[in-house]
Amino acid sequence: MGHVSTGKSYINEEPGLKSWFTSLDHKRIAILYFVAVMTFFLIGGIMALLLRLELFSPNTAGSVMEHIPNFLRKAGDTPADLYNQVMTYHGAMMVFMVIVPGIPAIFGNFFLPLQIGAKDVAFPRLNLLSWYVFMAGAALAVSTFFFSKIDTGWTFYTPYSIRSGTSVVMMVVAAFIMGMSSILTGLNFIVTVHKLRAPGMTMWRMPLFCWAIYSTAIIQVLATPILAITLLLLAMERTFGVGIFDPKLGGDPVLFQHFFWFYSHPAVYIMILPAMGIISELITTYSKKTIFGYTAIAYSSIGIAAVSFFVWGHHLFVSGQSEVAGIVFSFLTMLVGVPTAIKMFNWLATLYKGSIEFRAPLLYALGFLFLFAIGGMTGVILAVTAVDVHFHDTYFVVAHFHYVMVGGTLMAIMGGLFHWFPKIFGKMHSETGAIMSWVFIFIGFNVTFFPQFILGAKGMPRRYFDYIPEYEQLNKISTVGSWLIATGFIIALITVIKGLTSGAKAPKNPWGSKTLEWHAESPPIMHNFEQDPIVTAGPYEYK
Amino acid sequence: MNWLIVMNKLLLAKSAVAGTFMPVQATEISKQVDNLYGFLVVVSFVSCAILIGGMIYFAVKYKRKTQNDKTAYITHDTRLEVLWSVIPLIVFLLVFAWGWIIYHDMRTMPTNALEIQVTGKQWAWSVDYKNGVKASEVVVPVNRDVKLILASDDVIHSFYVPSFRIKQDAVPGRYTALWFRAEKLGEFHVFCTEYCGTSHSRMLTKLRVVSQADFDKWLTEESDVSGLPLAQRGAKIFQTRACASCHSVDSPVVKVGPSLKARWGTPLNVEDGTTGVFDENYVRESVMLPQQKIAKGFPKPSPMPSFQGQLSEAEMIALIEYIKGLN
Ligand SMILES: [Cu+2]
């Protein structure tokens, strides 16, 4: 492709702010998501810091929550209420507004079409609509903040969520709307993969990131409607008292848990599969080596997606569910462990005899493997019925899912960000800054969450505003860790801003990567490629 | 032979893990759970060591030397792939089956157990014995099968005794149950582990394991409160009705509700501005109809439950006598 760059790109081809909000270009929409999701991440992160600060010591001397400014609180809310609200918003925002949309809507939107050699997604207009729907839901969710904050936890368990005198209905409707956006995005991606692959780009030549986004999209389309109907039923229960979940009206509160986890367990894979896709890209690129076991990785994504629908009951071992159900769900959960293990070993084997370059994205990928190994194994521990009885709803679970969701997904987002930064923005960021951010986030993460495994083993329940004195030491360590993580993200933010404002111009392919997006300009032009690409080989031909 | 030594070391490591990081083992089941958990920790440690160790080893060994490094072109290796699918599967199935055996024990209620009714309510546990004794903590005899029948008055709670490694949700509208056989005398923490609102983290109580003789003595003493002076009877009711979980009596600390220390005879401070003093009738109204006069600075509706129809007149008088004595 020996043409001379015209300096035109998707960033400057159409001028003016308004053009961004009406653009149908998948890359611009990805940027819109990026800005929104990062803003929510910032808010959710500040809340996390607040929670950790509260837990720095037992609540004998007073509470951090008392310092929350008056306009953000309702008269009569005790510090414990405020803590419960912050805990709820932290969870709900991080799940529904950051981790679920994060990778598919940002990197999936930007790179799926580029990686399969398409000009855009299948339905560009629908893509923009998804963003507006998402923002509408998010705005509604955030607005509850100024009315009557919810305090149910992100899981909305009944009958507490029926009784709680807060704007549960509004929040639930918000999650419903955001779910709608998630379905639309998933649909768009599935059609894109089936219909818009460039000539020669067979399914089995797609980069693994596309496979991951594709599997995720299938789960999004199949599972999200269940969440939607569940939340709608909850809203109806609250407004009309239909008597499906409320025991006072003859309903069954545990039914809600079944419905909720029937979505939310597959949703765990909505959160982690795309991350795994990014990791495959990073490891091949920075070890300059073809991926080991391409087919196995692709099939294991599909396998995880399929089995993930049948394991929800492992959240209910102590809910009063029958012993038989407990056993069956424990068994099925073990089966999801296998494809996950396969992926881990494949990545390891990819490093073997590679030419490994220690750049920030690789460090994030190795950090992912490290944290995900721990998160995955503790997941197996929790899937063992008898052991879970002790650990259920303790800090062990909190540590476990932060290891997989933050240690997994967030590490992948950060790795992906520094990997694709030159492609997205056409500028180079500072490598030192990126590496420093990794050092703080990685170390801080372990300092924050490893002690929580021990706290859980010792029996400290989750969602506790206060705790008995014997848990103080470990909680202190955990809180200090949260400051390290915050430092890491501040460094990352500075690195990004400096890269944007004063980074050198990025070449087409700074890391010597093989996938198609690196054949486009940095940043790509409006319709991605100067000439429509024709694909003749697999994605990772490092020969 | 070498292998045996390694196994032995692992087993030692396993019990060390259990000893350091878990609460005391007060039941047979807790020992079994810890054995399995110890095994899982060792397995996790070994697999993480392989993965993370391998990763670090490769990363260092195959570090990029020049920009033109040639790398091996290895697309797959069926033997290896089968190996690393089958070995994890076997391990997973093993721990699954092991867990099943213990879980089956936990879920199978013994016959002839001492049955105690435990009810969760925002934010306290109330415990009912067969002979009519009401308590706010669970007292049980050592070395005897005990079955707790759990219920809830409002939202879902969960009854958790870390030292026994047992936990069971208390669900409104149905009964659930758990059993244990305590082997150690002493006091153990009981936590609520299903989020239930404002004072979820204060919904704690004690599980006291005593000898059979002490248990019998305690049970008769409790059922025979009629001989006690009025104020002492009031103090007991204040405990068993969980007033204490929301009101402090020995310091001015505000829990969910205001402290009741030294309030008797002081002027009222209520939202609707009514004047008057803190006297018998005010206490009675506060307890029976808590929504009538809400103390200043507390949420409306008041989180205090109404005790109308639950406290007898005699109990009310005893409570009032007790609160009087807090000055
Ligand atoms: Cu509770």
Side-chain angles (χ1 to χ4, degrees), chain A residues 21-34:
Chain A
F21 289 100
T22 52
S23 172
L24 302 184
D25 182 62
H26 65 104
K27 300 181 288 303
R28 287 193 158 197
I29 296 173
I31 302 288
L32 292 180
Y33 272 114
F34 179 71

Side-chain angles (χ1 to χ4, degrees), chain B residues 156-157 192 194 196 200 203:
Chain B
I156 300 178
H157 302 279
C192 174
E194 184 61 71
C196 57
H200 170 52
M203 193 166 157

Side-chain angles (χ1 to χ4, degrees), chain A residues 223-251:
Chain A
T224 318
I226 301 155
L227 175 73
I229 193 71
T230 308
L231 295 180
L232 219 55
L233 281 172
L234 175 57
M236 281 168 64
E237 184 75 314
R238 272 187 74 104
T239 23
F240 308 118
V242 289
I244 179 161
F245 300 131
D246 191 346
K248 284 212 174 123
L249 304 171

Side-chain angles (χ1 to χ4, degrees), chain B:
Chain B
M1 184 208 65
N2 264 341
W3 203 76
L4 277 179
I5 297 176
V6 172
M7 275 307 281
N8 205 6
K9 283 244 162 72
L10 286 185
L11 283 175
L12 279 179
K14 202 183 73 175
S15 42
V17 167
T20 327
F21 295 122
M22 300 287 265
V24 285
Q25 302 169 323
T27 58
E28 176 56 32
I29 290 234
S30 63
K31 288 176 202 155
Q32 292 177 16
V33 170
D34 287 4
N35 278 337
L36 173 50
Y37 175 62
F39 177 77
L40 281 161
V41 170
V42 171
V43 169
S44 309
F45 193 78
V46 171
S47 32
C48 288
I50 294 174
L51 273 167
I52 297 170
M55 174 185 103
I56 295 173
Y57 176 75
F58 289 162
V60 173
K61 174 137 193 230
Y62 302 113
K63 192 167 172 330
R64 184 165 300 178
K65 316 236 159 42
T66 69
Q67 282 309 315
N68 304 320
D69 280 356
K70 281 274 165 271
T71 58
Y73 188 76
I74 312 170
T75 54
H76 67 289
D77 180 329
T78 313
R79 282 217 325 272
L80 263 181
E81 293 185 72
V82 169
L83 211 63
W84 67 48
S85 314
V86 172
I87 293 178
L89 182 65
I90 293 174
V91 175
F92 293 165
L93 291 184
L94 176 81
V95 292
F96 156 73
W98 188 345
W100 180 358
I101 296 168
I102 304 173
Y103 186 61
H104 180 71
D105 272 356
M106 290 176 166
R107 301 270 83 230
T108 313
M109 297 297 144
T111 44
N112 294 326
L114 169 70
E115 285 185 357
I116 302 171
Q117 178 80 42
V118 177
T119 309
K121 183 174 177 164
Q122 284 168 326
W123 292 281
W125 297 99
S126 73
V127 184
D128 286 279
Y129 288 82
K130 288 240 157 109
N131 67 347
V133 165
K134 247 188 174 343
S136 61
E137 50 180 34
V138 188
V139 181
V140 298
V142 72
N143 288 328
R144 168 131 178 237
D145 290 344
V146 176
K147 176 178 175 186
L148 302 187
I149 300 168
L150 302 172
S152 166
D153 258 357
D154 37 48
V155 300
I156 300 178
H157 302 279
S158 193
F159 188 90
Y160 174 38
V161 191
S163 299
F164 293 3
R165 315 285 188 272
I166 50 160
K167 174 182 297 133
Q168 180 66 51
D169 286 3
V171 183
R174 69 161 78 166
Y175 297 105
T176 53
L178 61 82
W179 78 275
F180 56 82
R181 185 187 177 92
E183 292 179 345
K184 274 206 166 71
L185 295 175
E187 266 190 8
F188 303 98
H189 293 294
V190 176
F191 295 132
C192 174
T193 41
E194 184 61 71
Y195 173 71
C196 57
T198 307
S199 292
H200 170 52
S201 60
R202 304 251 162 82
M203 193 166 157
L204 318 174
T205 186
K206 288 261 149 35
L207 193 152
R208 229 159 14 98
V209 181
V210 298
S211 68
Q212 182 70 45
D214 285 348
F215 177 72
D216 294 335
K217 195 162 138 247
W218 176 82
L219 210 55
T220 25
E221 269 177 19
E222 287 297 304
S223 59
D224 186 29
V225 285
S226 48
L228 285 181
L230 213 49
Q232 272 182 40
R233 228 188 298 162
K236 273 215 148 69
I237 298 168
F238 199 80
Q239 289 301 325
T240 56
R241 294 294 178 153
C243 314
S245 65
C246 296
H247 296 285
S248 49
V249 289
D250 43 13
S251 70
V253 169
V254 174
K255 291 184 179 172
V256 181
S259 163
L260 300 181
K261 182 183 158 75
R263 294 295 304 281
W264 196 265
T266 59
L268 293 188
N269 186 15
V270 292
E271 288 288 353
D272 65 8
T274 316
T275 50
V277 288
F278 196 102
D279 60 6
E280 284 87 347
N281 276 319
Y282 178 68
V283 171
R284 190 167 200 294
E285 186 181 342
S286 295
V287 173
M288 297 303 188
L289 303 166
Q291 307 306 343
Q292 287 295 352
K293 298 199 180 81
I294 295 183
K296 259 222 171 73
F298 289 89
K300 192 174 180 152
S302 166
M304 174 157 165
S306 162
F307 289 86
Q308 184 100 48
Q310 298 188 22
L311 288 173
S312 67
E313 207 48 53
E315 285 175 313
M316 196 65 240
I317 293 169
L319 265 177
I320 290 175
E321 197 56 35
Y322 169 66
I323 293 172
K324 243 185 228 177
L326 295 174
N327 277 32

